[in-house]
Structures are given as C-alpha cells and as structure tokens.
Amino acid sequence: MAQTQKEQAPKVGPISRTAIVVCDLDRALLLFRDILGLKVLSESQIMGDLISEHMGHDVTLEGKIYGLGIGESRAGNIVLMHYTNIDKGDEEDHDAKFDVGNVALVMMVDPEAADIYEIYNNVKEAGFKIISAPSEL
C-alpha cells in the first residue's frame, strides 16, 4: 500500500528552469530545438568564478548556455550548459569531473512560507548530492 503524503502547502514555488550540463551542445540542440521544437530564447557565454562556485568547481569555468522554452516566458525553461575551456582528455573522467549529465533545478522560494536553509539541510541529510548551497539569483 502506498504511503499517503501529509497534506501541506508546497515549500517551493514552480520550477523556474532546469539546467542540464551537456558534453555535445550541437546534439543537445538537435534534440531540444530541432526535434522537440523548443524555441531558443537566449544564448550567452558563461565565465568566471560565480558560475564555478554555483557548479561546485575550483577552476574557472567558461562555456555557452542556451535557454529554450515553449514561449516567451522564462518559467519552466530548459537551460543547456556546455563548458568550452575544459580539456576533454579521458571521456569518462571528463564527464564525471565536469558534471556532464547533471541536472540543476532552479526553484523560487517564498521566504515567508518556507526556510530555504531548512529545506537545504533536509535534502542534504536525506543523502542527496548538493552541488552548491542556496543562493539568490
């Protein structure tokens, strides 16, 4: 018999965006843009310590990001992240070391409805991998 969830108000708002680290940007665009038909809403370069800190790395990351979605709204979009300054080297080691395949969920939290640090600690204590602590975007 399935457990029933205690009725409670959600602790987070809707998913703002889902970021996926990819090793082959062209192939990822083929899937999300060309096959699934998502519209490219933004394209930009990423670089610097801020992105490295958010992704949990001690090297300065550089790369490209594409924001894709159904319409003009940024809510619920997919962000493809591709690092361009990382030596591919051994493919397996590269993919593991630089998060290829990792997914980051960006959710809004109403500070009056929930304590983001309590949620963060609960997720961490449950054994889930946390790349970086909560931050304001």
Side-chain angles (χ1 to χ4, degrees):
M1 188 182 256
Q3 281 186 327
T4 57
Q5 182 179 356
K6 181 180 156 186
E7 284 295 317
Q8 61 182 348
K11 294 182 180 180
V12 296
I15 294 174
S16 173
R17 63 186 163 274
T18 302
I20 306 168
V21 180
V22 300
C23 64
D24 186 337
L25 187 57
D26 291 331
R27 189 141 172 84
L29 287 169
L30 172 70
L31 173 63
F32 290 102
R33 181 191 59 203
D34 301 340
I35 295 174
L36 297 178
L38 298 180
K39 180 180 176 184
V40 174
L41 302 173
S42 63
E43 175 185 351
S44 59
Q45 296 288 104
I46 55 173
M47 66 182 69
D49 295 332
L50 182 61
I51 190 68
S52 301
E53 181 181 319
H54 280 297
M55 297 308 291
H57 290 285
D58 56 3
V59 297
T60 300
L61 297 173
E62 295 178 12
K64 289 188 89 166
I65 60 172
Y66 278 79
L68 297 106
I70 295 173
E72 296 301 320
S73 170
R74 301 242 184 253
N77 291 343
I78 292 175
V79 175
L80 301 175
M81 298 177 62
H82 174 72
Y83 305 135
T84 56
N85 69 321
I86 304 301
D87 180 18
K88 292 286 275 186
D90 177 38
E91 194 75 29
E92 264 184 53
D93 182 52
H94 171 272
D95 289 358
K97 188 175 181 182
F98 294 101
D99 310 318
V100 171
N102 277 3
V103 174
L105 298 177
V106 178
M107 294 175 259
M108 300 303 172
V109 176
D110 178 353
E112 296 192 20
D115 178 352
I116 187 62
Y117 294 100
E118 178 184 351
I119 295 169
Y120 167 78
N121 287 327
N122 290 340
V123 170
K124 194 172 177 181
E125 287 171 9
F128 291 96
K129 180 181 177 184
I130 305 272
I131 295 173
S132 66
S135 61
E136 288 190 35
L137 297 177

